[in-house]
Amino acid sequence: MIYLAQTDTTAGFLSKDLKELNSIKNRPLNQPCLICVSKFSALKELSRAPKKYKNLIRRTKKTTFIYPNSQAIRVVKDHPHAKLLDKLEWAYSTSANPHKKGFDIEFAMANADIIIDTKFTPAPASKIYKISKTNIKKIR
């Protein structure tokens, strides 16, 4: 099941099936994708945040963190997109555009099973930081 929704950052596809998302975007099927959650309790089930960065993770918005277990996870708070994530618990998320190309509403509508929103605005992607027990490194 592929959902098309206006995420907290840009128009995006959401699904529990990573391979289906990657095949729609014509990219390698095993390419990793970020995971969106709406609650910190769901984040705790997927990965463990180093104690040093817990406050930073709680305070930031529109930011994805790559955790020591190599999971890329973004917590979505105070956004309508969080309501969908409450129902799904978590979902893989990617921009609703062909691989390495710009946003195309026809492509997005044609490849989604369920369209959640009616208005879509392409926007910059989330910031990405890789964290370890001792270091933090900006990726994007």
Side-chain angles (χ1 to χ4, degrees):
M1 190 71 57
I2 302 290
Y3 299 91
L4 174 62
Q6 179 65 43
T7 68
D8 57 329
T9 54
T10 188
F13 289 132
L14 296 124
S15 178
K16 292 255 187 180
D17 188 352
L18 177 62
K19 288 186 173 150
E20 192 176 1
L21 277 179
N22 284 336
S23 68
I24 284 174
K25 290 186 58 117
N26 293 322
R27 60 186 189 192
L29 294 180
N30 60 349
Q31 181 171 330
C33 201
L34 72 90
I35 298 171
C36 285
V37 297
S38 61
K39 296 183 176 116
F40 290 104
S41 58
L43 171 65
K44 282 172 58 174
E45 291 178 21
L46 296 169
S47 185
R48 185 158 189 250
K51 189 174 185 176
K52 183 177 182 179
Y53 300 110
K54 285 185 179 180
N55 278 333
L56 175 69
I57 293 165
R58 223 182 341 270
R59 283 184 277 120
T60 57
K61 292 184 179 184
K62 298 183 182 183
T63 305
T64 302
F65 291 95
I66 301 174
Y67 292 87
N69 68 351
S70 297
Q71 292 277 17
I73 305 170
R74 183 171 76 237
V75 179
V76 178
K77 306 170 291 225
D78 305 326
H79 193 274
H81 172 53
K83 290 177 185 164
L84 173 63
L85 292 171
D86 283 340
K87 292 177 186 166
L88 298 174
E89 289 183 38
W90 64 270
Y92 290 109
S93 176
T94 185
S95 59
N97 54 304
H99 188 51
K100 306 257 185 191
K101 296 198 171 98
F103 180 70
D104 178 11
I105 190 71
E106 284 84 27
F107 172 83
M109 297 272 203
N111 287 292
D113 297 324
I114 298 174
I115 300 168
I116 304 294
D117 297 305
T118 54
K119 187 177 174 188
F120 300 101
T121 53
S126 65
K127 295 178 284 229
I128 299 178
Y129 292 95
K130 184 171 184 163
I131 55 176
S132 68
K133 287 183 178 180
T134 56
N135 296 334
I136 186 165
K137 180 181 178 187
K138 186 171 184 170
I139 305 292
R140 176 173 70 193

